[in-house]
Amino acid sequence: MESNASSSSAWEEVEELYGAESGWVEARKSCDHLPSLSSDLSHVPGPESHCSRCQHPAENWLCLSCKDVFCSRFINKHMVNHHQETGHCLALSFSDLSVWCFACDAYLDVQMIQQLQPVYEVAHLLKFGQRPPFQAINSNEGSSSS
């Protein structure tokens, strides 16, 4: 009986490490709010930009509709407030370059959503001085050459 209890305990530990409790979030591969993206995301403020409301220098997000910069919910919640006031729901984190949709309440997969790749590329270039290593999304993925 003890081995059964220990395997059950081991399984619970694995679930805690890799399950929902671990904080792992699956990014969405599509979003109905992409039409709200700014038409010019090739010119955006740099990742060193301060919050436009409180001037906080860290944990800032770029609104992908109006290109203003606001601090995160962990600082003074100005990006959250901006979304609530304007309905602008898409934002890019200058901390980790993730994209969040407030309306979907989800992260968006910049590797899979082609409309997000240009702004991600610009932000990555501004932050790291080099282009991001995008995964090749090949339309011939299912075909073989044998």
Side-chain angles (χ1 to χ4, degrees):
M1 280 287 189
E2 192 172 308
S3 68
N4 206 11
S6 67
S7 6
S8 175
S9 175
W11 179 250
E12 288 171 6
E13 286 180 33
V14 168
E15 283 183 329
E16 282 183 32
L17 283 174
Y18 299 105
E21 291 180 22
S22 71
W24 175 257
V25 178
E26 187 75 24
R28 293 177 56 121
K29 293 175 177 58
S30 65
C31 173
D32 292 338
H33 306 98
L34 295 173
S36 70
L37 287 170
S38 167
S39 61
D40 179 21
L41 289 172
S42 60
H43 300 94
V44 296
E48 72 288 344
S49 299
H50 292 203
C51 175
S52 61
R53 291 195 183 163
C54 69
Q55 300 306 309
H56 198 280
E59 288 283 325
N60 290 321
W61 289 75
L62 171 67
C63 174
L64 296 180
S65 293
C66 68
K67 302 194 293 186
D68 278 341
V69 176
F70 301 98
C71 62
S72 80
R73 67 183 77 219
F74 302 111
I75 305 296
N76 292 316
K77 301 181 181 175
H78 289 137
M79 186 64 226
V80 173
N81 295 341
H82 177 69
H83 160 65
Q84 292 169 342
E85 294 162 2
T86 65
H88 295 174
C89 58
L90 297 170
L92 178 134
S93 166
F94 282 138
S95 296
D96 63 4
L97 304 184
S98 61
V99 175
W100 178 260
C101 178
F102 285 91
C104 294
D105 197 29
Y107 285 102
L108 303 182
D109 188 339
V110 297
Q111 297 284 339
M112 298 300 291
I113 301 174
Q114 194 169 12
Q115 299 95 311
L116 296 174
Q117 290 179 1
V119 71
Y120 177 78
E121 185 172 353
V122 169
H124 194 281
L125 194 56
L126 290 169
K127 184 168 182 154
F128 299 111
Q130 61 186 18
R131 296 188 185 286
F134 281 116
Q135 296 172 352
I137 301 171
N138 190 345
S139 60
N140 300 331
E141 219 168 64
S143 64
S144 68
S145 58
S146 51

